[in-house]
Amino acid sequence: MTGIDTSSRVRTRPTFVDVYLDPILYVLAAFTLVMAFRNIATPLTDQHPDFVIFWDNLQWYAGGHDLYTAPPHWEEQGPNLAAPALLFLLAPLLPLPLELARAVWMAISIGLFALCSWWVARTFNVPTGRVFSLLVLSRATHLALIGGTFAAPLAAWMTRAWLDHRQGRDATAGVWIGIAIACKLLLLPCVGYAVLRRRWRMVSGIVCGMAATVAVGVAVGGIENTALWIRTLRGLERGTIDYPINASLMAWLARTPAEWTTVQAWWLCGSLLIGMGLLWRWLHRDDDAAWSATISGSLLASPLGWVYYTPLLVGPFVGARSALLWAGYALCALPLELVVPRAVVASTLLKLTVGSAYFFGVLLLFVGSVIPKHDAIRHGEARR
């Protein structure tokens, strides 16, 4: 998205992008969405989407149990890591058959991604279809759709927060951020951003948003389910996070042959470096790059930084111009399972390089946000 023209001037004649590139993007995006819906026809036993985990636990809860201990739908199924408030977003779909409910949730997610694209396109005066096409063409977004994840509502909340922040509505922005943090704790570094920049109205909004979301989860699901969710997060193991679609630093380290304690030690050191990079960015400028760095740094530092959460970056990303950001987007857009056969990822070396393309994509997004291109140009001009 880095090459998007963000000029606010009125064009008098169509450009090459308008005439040739946009139609190609629209066709490719339509094909991608059709393939996403076709994926629903594939047997669930061959897909293992997260939506089934959420659905089974909601059905388990409706039967008088908790939200996190439903019997597994398939062998070696991962735990339910969604917050109670997120799970209850699916509650209205419970009367539907599983396949239909999944299709409806996919349609809702597409609508939310389209809404994010409209907000961003209106901000930078570019066609909504162009932003939406580049968003859905990313494999990260495709994984969010076919997996039935909660990436779309999170992207809508964070994009709305970014836009309100740009328009000087820090309190409202904070509320949206607080809602997102209460549902995905990996976004906690956003609190550090607000505090360090002394945006106290944003801090108060974050507190209110978090408190309200947690209160909803407790009121509907009880304090026991909230406590069980926290215990589930604390019980993460190597086999839960080392999947190629996990773009976090810990997931990359977990793919090495090192002992688990060694992996955790190196992860702490790496998280410290990520935190230093964020501090440097926050202290130097308060702009879209700071937002992009905060979100991408959060994905890197959290053990649960799945690549399908990169659409949360769509707002600050569209307004940026950086080759590193464009390279990061390209890696996150890569259909990794088609490029890297299973026999290749069996090799430790290739698993840590080619098979970790999503990790390197988010890493480039972070580095490109911490050291934006315009900063380097400005410093070079100052030396001259």
Side-chain angles (χ1 to χ4, degrees):
M1 296 182 194
T2 338
I4 293 179
D5 179 16
T6 58
S7 173
S8 59
R9 293 174 296 178
V10 177
R11 296 181 183 144
T12 57
R13 63 179 62 183
T15 65
F16 174 85
V17 174
D18 297 327
V19 177
Y20 298 104
L21 184 57
D22 280 349
I24 295 175
L25 289 176
Y26 299 159
V27 171
L28 291 176
F31 175 77
T32 301
L33 293 179
V34 170
M35 293 304 294
F37 275 103
R38 281 193 61 186
N39 192 267
I40 297 177
T42 306
L44 292 175
T45 53
D46 297 336
Q47 300 181 61
H48 301 167
D50 289 349
F51 186 86
V52 175
I53 300 176
F54 307 144
W55 182 267
D56 285 348
N57 279 277
L58 277 174
Q59 294 283 6
W60 184 248
Y61 174 73
H65 305 281
D66 58 66
L67 282 167
Y68 296 93
T69 61
H73 210 92
W74 57 83
E75 292 184 5
E76 299 182 357
Q77 175 180 301
N80 175 20
L81 301 174
L86 275 181
L87 290 172
F88 291 133
L89 291 178
L90 301 179
L93 304 181
L94 281 180
L96 303 177
L98 173 57
E99 292 77 6
L100 179 57
R102 185 183 172 207
V104 171
W105 182 248
M106 185 181 295
I108 292 173
S109 296
I110 292 172
L112 290 173
F113 283 134
L115 180 61
C116 293
S117 302
W118 180 66
W119 284 334
V120 174
R122 188 175 58 174
T123 300
F124 294 116
N125 193 29
V126 295
T128 301
R130 187 186 304 172
V131 178
F132 180 67
S133 296
L134 287 171
L135 182 60
V136 300
L137 281 174
S138 171
R139 183 61 179 175
T141 307
H142 188 75
L143 288 171
L145 293 175
I146 64 175
T149 71
F150 294 104
L154 287 167
W157 295 331
M158 291 303 293
T159 303
R160 189 66 244 178
W162 163 80
L163 185 57
D164 286 341
H165 170 58
R166 284 176 61 95
Q167 297 174 350
R169 298 193 293 267
D170 276 2
T172 307
V175 171
W176 291 117
I177 295 172
I179 294 173
I181 291 175
C183 293
K184 283 296 173 183
L185 298 180
L186 63 87
L187 294 170
L188 273 172
C190 294
V191 178
Y193 163 77
V195 171
L196 196 64
R197 297 305 308 183
R198 297 181 181 179
R199 294 186 170 272
W200 305 120
R201 287 185 300 170
M202 181 179 290
V203 173
S204 63
I206 290 174
V207 173
C208 292
M210 290 182 65
T213 306
V214 171
V216 169
V218 171
V220 179
I223 189 65
E224 297 82 5
N225 277 307
T226 300
L228 186 54
W229 171 55
I230 298 298
R231 289 200 298 271
T232 304
L233 292 178
R234 294 177 60 184
L236 291 176
E237 299 177 352
R238 190 178 201 141
T240 309
I241 66 172
D242 63 351
Y243 296 98
I245 64 171
N246 191 329
S248 70
L249 173 63
M250 178 174 273
W252 183 74
L253 292 170
R255 296 172 201 136
T256 67
E259 296 291 334
W260 183 236
T261 54
T262 305
V263 168
Q264 292 175 314
W266 279 109
W267 168 69
L268 288 174
C269 294
S271 297
L272 179 60
L273 291 176
I274 294 170
M276 293 172 62
L278 288 176
L279 287 174
W280 187 91
R281 169 46 46 196
W282 295 340
L283 290 171
H284 276 72
R285 287 178 68 87
D286 184 12
D287 56 6
D288 285 352
W291 276 71
S292 180
T294 303
I295 298 175
S296 56
S298 299
L299 295 179
L300 274 181
S302 170
L304 299 176
W306 306 98
V307 70
Y308 49 70
Y309 290 131
T310 53
L312 275 65
L313 289 159
V314 62
F317 191 28
V318 168
R321 292 183 177 274
S322 167
L324 285 176
L325 291 180
W326 183 251
Y329 167 80
L331 286 174
C332 292
L334 193 67
L336 192 58
E337 71 282 2
L338 301 180
V339 177
V340 184
R342 294 184 180 181
V344 172
V345 297
S347 164
T348 301
L349 177 60
L350 293 177
K351 187 189 301 184
L352 294 173
T353 54
V354 181
S356 296
Y358 294 146
F359 161 72
F360 291 109
V362 175
L363 180 62
L364 287 177
L365 291 174
F366 176 67
V367 174
S369 302
V370 170
I371 311 176
K373 183 178 179 180
H374 57 73
D375 276 5
I377 294 175
R378 187 179 65 251
H379 292 163
E381 291 176 348
R383 286 194 298 268
R384 289 196 297 269

